[in-house]
Amino acid sequence: MNIPFTKHTLANGLDVLVHEDHGVPIVAVNVWYHVGSKNEVPGRTGFAHLFEHLMFEGSQHYDKGYFHPLQEAGASLNGSTNADRTNYWEVVPTNALELALWMESDRMGYLLPALTDAKFENQRDVVLNERRQNYENRPYGLAGMAIVSALYPEDHPYHWLTIGAAADLHAARLEDVRAFFQMYYHPGNASLALAGDIDVSTALALADIYFSEIPGAPPPGPVRVTRPASAADEIRLVLEDRVELPRLYMAWHSPALFSEGDAELDLVGDLLANGKTSRLYRALVYEQRIATEVAASQNSRELGSFFQVVATAAPGRTLGEVDRAIMREIAALVEKGPTEAELERCLAQAEAHFIFRLQTVGGFGGKSDQLNAYNTFLGDPGFFERDLQRYRGASAEVLRQEAARYLVGNRRVVLSVVPRGRLALALDASQPVGVS
Amino acid sequence: MRRADRTRLPSRGREKPFTFPEIRRRTLASGLRICTVEHRQVPLVSALLLVPAGAAADPQDRPGLAAITADMLDEGCGDRSALDVHEALGRIGAQLDTDVGHDATVIGLTTLERSLDKGLELVADMVMRPRFEQREFDRVRDLRLHRLLQLRDMPPALADRVFAQLLYRNHPYGHLPIGSEGSLRAMTVREIAGFHRRTFSPTRSTLIAVGDASHDALATAAERAFGGWQPPADGDAPPDPETFTAPAPPTNRLAIVHRSAAAQSELRIGHVALARRTPDYHAALVLNMVLGGQFVSRINMNLREEKGYTYGARTAFEFRRAPGPFVLQASVQSEATADAVREALAEMRAIRTDRPVTREELELGRAALTRGYPRNFETADHIARAAAQLALYDLPDDYFTTFVPKMLALDEAAITRAAEAHIDPSRLITVIVGDREKLSPSLAALELGDASEVAVG
């Protein structure tokens, strides 16, 4: 099982990946830039994402909003920024492929001449609204910020979330945009994937026509981490929020994306909280009924991941009870490991998920996005099959060992989110934390 | 080698034809309709069981009954406990997805083709032999009550609920599928079993199976699983929403749900509009795309790209069996709330009066629906959900093949007529979830009359 592809690197350093799938007359165009919020500096957080917004506002040869001509051609399009990368995609009817390539190449090569203060100010407002809508005005919306700022030291590139601090967004300047573009937005730091109703030779010829004229530059190089991000002791925090039910977040440092232990912890997350028969759901929600919901996930990232468990207390139940129940289940897993039946179920689910991922050519998580992910992080677009092997190869004993190595009780960040004015509902000895 | 011509955008090439895949039908002796579509790209099958009873079938005093009934199906059935059901689904890596809307309950299963029989057998067991045990019901009801509690802090959920209540009141569309606290507390397992008996019947249901197998193999698998499903003896089906009387327009045109120090205002603006089977369906779709259905629509360009009031604003006609709402949704900066409402109302007025849809807007608006049409049918699940629409709304078999031609036959005048007929500024109501203190002074200038204050709860 894999995503068959052809890879060709243009002279300017742009990787071009092509995957044929003639199921529907559409082509996915997908561009990754290897830059995210981890490339930001303290005081200018949120910038990579604000920059992403500007990429839709016009370029030198088409100095108007990018949505109009693409939606007029029947395309869907979007982009997103996370800590490690920024992606842009269009899914176009086959006959509009050149339009999408023209536009993606124009903003890769010629964004700056079209940049104005008015666009910058407008998109800053839009992003501040996005922040208010999705973080400040959403229950538990600020918990993620509290977690990463406690997990990582202040100068660590994962200390802040991609949306950034409101004050930093206000502080951003137009000159910053130019410097950022020159450093990160060029063919040497990008990867282009085309997937769908197209043949390889046409795809490569078109990529060459539109992208090879853009000057290359060497990739900016990896982000250096000056201080390691290891929590030596447990950190207990409490955040007051406009919520009805207290919720507990706990996070541990865990192996980086694609490194040893990463897939295993992903499976541990499934064992703990994927489905009604998972250990935490069954114990906390189904049997003891002390929580209304529980989730566990390995948040895989380039410089280092974190494993997180989140549970909301049922009315009348305490976060202390919830904490003890979670830690009891983790301790049991660390001691005895999963049963063979549990492992079989998790592997069956993991394998099915790999197949589900083969259904769409474009958009977030589609085949073009996956080719670019593997190429950007590993230099190997064909990693799909080996990625699946990482899961298939996991044994009960290895899962036990990885859980034992990383999910250590006293090396975690624990955050209690409690209703305003109800600090007493937090775990004992939690320090109030201010996030906004 | 050819070089990029940056003096103009490249023109589009010749359009490639797209044909919706063939749907084959058969009806089992029990009356269950089976639709199959072959989709051989990936070794998966998506199956949907459509039961045409949703939240609108809730008894007047039991909002939430349809939703909790559907929720209880996988909480034990036949010889299986709740955990057994999920262990069995997990072991084949299948995904179960139950959705209760206003008009229908849809139980969806996506599974590897090789596990199709097992997956369908599990769904059939849930649908035909649910246990509805008291112990499981108590737990599921508690979870729903807790969910209701949490929704009180979610501005979008609050806004949706208040909007539906104001628009429809005692009409069956006047509540959200999750129901209310009082109703959930009063509910009994007997009521759930009774609702299930009345509504889950093979004679009214449709099973759609799409995926990597032949029509015959898909239909045979469906028949193996559901062949034994018998219609209930006391089959008094719930009334069809199509037969409901339309609600009278509300008297108050503005409602505020107060949230002190809210970071933004959550907005809903709209009125009762169109049923799915309206002859103006295609025109209304295009009208919506011009007005507020996509990024480049008038309202988003105005509120987001020109004014910077919001991260995004969208409108939609929610087509149902009976007339559903036309609604604008946005979360806007608190300080700009009155301005955002004024601009949105102005756009809704202008499109039917002094700024009718232009030729360019018509082309742009319908492009997403016509040129982008094939995108909607990429996966087995997409196709199955499209086929389910035919069954739910009694649409003709040629619906998909006539869609694009019907869209292309529309002109600007048809869209303007649709705007005049189906957007009525005098009936628009506005719901705002936000900080009353910050809003009140500027809202007065909108002249929407007194705001009714809606308590959270």
Side-chain angles (χ1 to χ4, degrees):
Chain A
M1 205 178 359
N2 57 18
I3 305 173
F5 70 96
T6 302
K7 176 173 176 174
H8 174 72
T9 304
L10 303 184
N12 58 16
L14 180 70
D15 288 337
V16 183
L17 318 171
V18 185
H19 164 70
E20 291 192 39
D21 175 344
H22 301 280
V24 181
I26 57 176
V27 185
V29 175
N30 185 294
V31 181
W32 276 44
Y33 294 92
H34 198 176
V35 58
S37 56
K38 76 171 176 321
N39 301 93
E40 297 161 354
V41 291
R44 285 291 188 276
T45 65
F47 193 80
H49 169 246
L50 173 57
F51 184 96
E52 176 221 312
H53 274 243
L54 293 168
M55 287 282 278
F56 290 88
E57 298 300 309
S59 50
Q60 183 178 350
H61 306 99
Y62 186 79
D63 191 3
K64 279 181 278 186
Y66 261 43
F67 276 84
H68 189 121
L70 286 161
Q71 291 195 319
E72 187 167 43
S76 60
L77 63 152
N78 211 334
S80 74
T81 310
N82 68 21
D84 295 326
R85 59 96 186 116
T86 309
N87 65 358
Y88 301 86
W89 57 263
E90 296 82 35
V91 177
V92 294
T94 306
N95 69 343
L97 173 62
E98 280 209 42
L99 175 69
L101 293 173
W102 191 106
M103 298 192 76
E104 279 298 355
S105 60
D106 214 54
R107 63 183 171 185
M108 183 186 289
Y110 315 96
L111 181 78
L112 294 183
L115 196 62
T116 64
D117 251 323
K119 287 179 188 174
F120 184 65
E121 293 301 331
N122 168 260
Q123 288 305 309
R124 187 208 316 263
D125 282 343
V126 169
V127 168
L128 285 166
N129 280 319
E130 179 180 358
R131 192 180 194 279
R132 282 187 285 262
Q133 180 178 335
N134 291 342
Y135 297 84
E136 300 164 36
N137 208 30
R138 182 170 286 185
Y140 313 103
L142 299 173
M145 289 177 203
I147 290 283
V148 296
S149 64
L151 267 178
Y152 301 100
E154 269 179 32
D155 55 353
H156 191 286
Y158 290 159
H159 181 72
W160 50 89
L161 292 192
T162 300
I163 192 71
D168 292 355
L169 289 166
H170 282 292
R173 295 288 166 263
L174 197 61
E175 307 87 81
D176 302 336
V177 179
R178 297 181 200 286
F180 199 83
F181 180 81
Q182 277 151 5
M183 174 88 93
Y184 299 110
Y185 277 75
H186 55 75
N189 199 39
S191 182
L192 166 70
L194 305 176
D197 182 28
I198 180 159
D199 65 82
V200 172
S201 58
T202 308
L204 291 178
L206 288 173
D208 203 30
I209 288 169
Y210 286 103
F211 288 89
S212 59
E213 68 191 40
I214 304 168
V223 172
R224 303 244 174 261
V225 177
T226 46
R227 275 196 290 160
S230 69
D233 300 305
E234 183 184 80
I235 299 173
R236 289 189 173 207
L237 303 169
V238 55
L239 176 67
E240 293 179 80
D241 195 1
R242 182 180 296 202
V243 295
E244 299 284 342
L245 300 175
R247 183 182 280 179
L248 197 65
Y249 289 77
M250 53 183 86
W252 292 265
H253 289 288
S254 62
L257 174 68
F258 298 129
S259 70
E260 199 183 322
D262 172 47
E264 287 78 3
L265 280 165
D266 197 18
L267 287 169
V268 167
D270 285 347
L271 279 172
L272 288 176
N274 182 7
K276 285 182 177 156
T277 48
S278 63
R279 291 191 175 200
L280 289 177
Y281 188 92
R282 182 175 176 156
L284 276 73
V285 184
Y286 188 85
E287 285 167 359
Q288 302 167 39
R289 308 190 183 184
I290 59 176
T292 65
E293 58 201 333
V294 61
S297 58
Q298 158 77 346
N299 297 273
S300 303
R301 301 196 285 181
E302 248 187 314
L303 305 178
S305 308
F306 65 93
F307 187 91
Q308 182 167 267
V309 176
V310 183
T312 309
R317 310 314 292 248
T318 69
L319 291 182
E321 283 176 277
V322 171
D323 183 38
R324 284 189 295 280
I326 292 170
M327 296 314 286
R328 205 159 42 231
E329 289 303 325
I330 290 177
L333 182 65
V334 161
E335 194 187 330
K336 296 214 174 121
T339 64
E340 281 306 316
E342 277 179 297
L343 183 67
E344 271 179 43
R345 184 188 75 226
C346 282
L347 294 180
Q349 288 173 318
E351 176 135 5
H353 274 273
F354 271 83
I355 299 175
F356 295 160
R357 281 165 43 185
L358 296 173
Q359 296 183 85
T360 51
V361 294
F364 298 122
K367 288 189 279 186
S368 50
D369 213 32
Q370 294 174 59
L371 288 171
N372 266 340
Y374 291 136
N375 189 47
T376 300
F377 295 133
L378 298 166
D380 178 7
F383 194 73
F384 185 93
E385 178 66 30
R386 276 196 287 147
D387 195 359
L388 176 56
Q389 293 304 337
R390 294 195 303 151
Y391 290 80
R392 279 184 181 149
S395 68
E397 176 54 18
V398 170
L399 295 191
R400 192 198 66 73
Q401 286 171 10
E402 297 295 342
R405 182 173 308 160
Y406 294 101
L407 308 186
V408 180
N410 61 0
R411 267 195 247 149
R412 58 176 186 162
V413 171
V414 200
L415 169 71
S416 304
V417 181
V418 299
R420 293 245 166 90
R422 308 284 303 280
L423 282 171
L425 295 179
L427 285 197
D428 293 344
S430 296
Q431 296 301 310
V433 57
V435 222
S436 59
Chain B
M1 192 190 82
R2 198 177 119 201
R3 299 201 44 180
D5 176 3
R6 302 257 170 220
T7 61
R8 65 180 71 85
L9 293 177
S11 52
R12 293 176 306 111
R14 197 169 46 84
E15 205 149 310
K16 276 204 164 184
F18 168 75
T19 318
F20 188 83
E22 181 196 5
I23 302 176
R24 286 204 196 155
R25 300 163 198 280
R26 65 176 74 171
T27 304
L28 303 188
S30 63
L32 179 68
R33 285 174 291 269
I34 309 244
C35 300
T36 57
V37 180
E38 295 181 359
H39 184 77
R40 314 303 290 249
Q41 269 78 3
V42 186
L44 295 172
V45 175
S46 285
L48 298 179
L49 180 72
L50 172 81
V51 180
D58 287 340
Q60 187 80 50
D61 61 345
R62 287 290 183 274
L65 185 58
I68 201 168
T69 301
D71 202 4
M72 286 293 296
L73 297 178
D74 64 345
E75 298 289 348
C77 52
D79 297 331
R80 295 179 172 101
S81 71
L83 293 180
D84 292 341
V85 171
H86 285 272
E87 185 63 23
L89 285 167
R91 292 181 74 85
I92 57 172
Q95 278 188 332
L96 178 71
D97 166 39
T98 302
D99 178 52
V100 179
H102 291 273
D103 294 334
T105 295
V106 178
I107 298 156
L109 178 86
T110 297
T111 179
L112 304 184
E113 186 277 330
R114 64 170 187 256
S115 308
L116 177 60
D117 274 323
K118 182 75 189 169
L120 286 179
E121 190 243 317
L122 283 161
V123 174
D125 212 21
M126 288 175 215
V127 168
M128 292 155 60
R129 289 174 289 275
R131 289 185 181 178
F132 297 134
E133 288 169 295
Q134 184 70 43
R135 185 188 144 73
E136 307 296 349
F137 169 66
D138 291 342
R139 177 176 49 80
V140 169
R141 170 166 58 187
D142 276 352
L143 288 175
R144 293 196 152 241
L145 287 167
H146 303 158
R147 184 71 191 147
L148 272 178
L149 197 61
Q150 290 185 290
L151 292 181
R152 291 162 58 145
D153 287 312
M154 299 175 73
L158 278 176
D160 286 340
R161 196 169 71 192
V162 171
F163 183 72
Q165 270 168 9
L166 287 179
L167 234 49
Y168 286 99
R169 284 162 295 167
N170 291 330
H171 185 280
Y173 289 162
H175 65 278
L176 300 187
I178 190 169
S180 68
E181 184 183 338
S183 165
L184 283 172
R185 288 201 188 281
M187 223 171 256
T188 66
V189 159
R190 281 176 62 93
E191 288 172 353
I192 289 177
F195 185 84
H196 173 264
R197 208 168 40 248
R198 287 198 305 280
T199 54
F200 281 70
S201 166
T203 56
R204 290 190 298 276
S205 302
T206 305
L207 184 95
I208 298 137
V210 181
D212 188 20
S214 67
H215 286 287
D216 258 350
L218 292 167
T220 308
E223 180 154 15
R224 263 198 301 271
F226 286 90
W229 193 11
Q230 291 306 317
D234 54 339
D236 55 331
D240 184 342
E242 247 183 7
T243 63
F244 299 143
T245 347
T251 43
N252 260 358
R253 297 177 52 208
L254 176 64
I256 296 177
V257 183
H258 178 56
R259 259 170 71 87
S260 63
Q264 292 225 305
S265 295
E266 187 77 28
L267 283 188
R268 299 289 179 276
I269 303 176
H271 57 53
V272 176
L274 289 167
R276 178 61 179 79
R277 270 144 62 78
T278 171
D280 286 349
Y281 176 74
H282 297 84
L285 279 183
V286 176
L287 166 64
N288 184 58
M289 291 306 253
V290 175
L291 182 61
Q294 60 177 346
F295 189 95
V296 293
S297 300
R298 287 183 181 187
I299 289 178
N300 189 61
M301 294 310 281
N302 181 341
L303 267 55
R304 169 179 157 135
E305 295 293 287
E306 281 165 37
K307 309 288 193 327
Y309 293 156
T310 178
Y311 179 45
R314 292 288 186 280
T315 61
F317 285 97
E318 290 179 16
F319 296 102
R320 302 179 189 161
R321 282 193 68 89
F326 163 77
V327 60
L328 170 135
Q329 312 191 28
S331 173
V332 304
Q333 229 172 306
S334 298
E335 296 73 27
T337 306
D339 293 329
V341 172
R342 180 182 300 106
E343 290 296 327
L345 292 174
E347 294 289 0
M348 291 176 195
R349 271 192 298 271
I351 202 163
R352 58 201 296 289
T353 53
D354 54 327
R355 276 195 296 128
V357 174
T358 65
R359 185 79 207 169
E360 291 69 37
E361 287 183 311
L362 167 69
E363 294 300 345
L364 174 62
R366 74 175 159 202
L369 304 167
T370 55
R371 296 175 180 151
Y373 199 54
R375 269 196 282 118
N376 302 320
F377 310 110
E378 191 181 7
T379 72
D381 187 60
H382 290 162
I383 294 167
R385 289 191 189 273
Q389 300 300 301
L390 301 188
L392 178 55
Y393 300 114
D394 312 314
L395 300 174
D397 261 20
D398 66 356
Y399 172 73
F400 296 110
T401 47
T402 60
F403 181 85
V404 171
K406 280 187 179 175
M407 297 293 287
L408 294 177
L410 295 167
D411 59 12
E412 305 94 285
I415 310 306
T416 301
R417 277 198 304 277
E420 288 163 355
H422 305 304
I423 295 178
D424 179 355
S426 72
R427 287 195 297 130
L428 290 168
I429 65 158
T430 299
V431 172
I432 305 172
V433 181
D435 187 332
R436 180 187 49 218
E437 312 307 324
K438 283 194 217 165
L439 303 174
S440 292
S442 55
L443 283 178
L446 290 179
E447 296 179 346
L448 293 175
D450 287 341
S452 53
E453 181 109 358
V454 183
V456 179

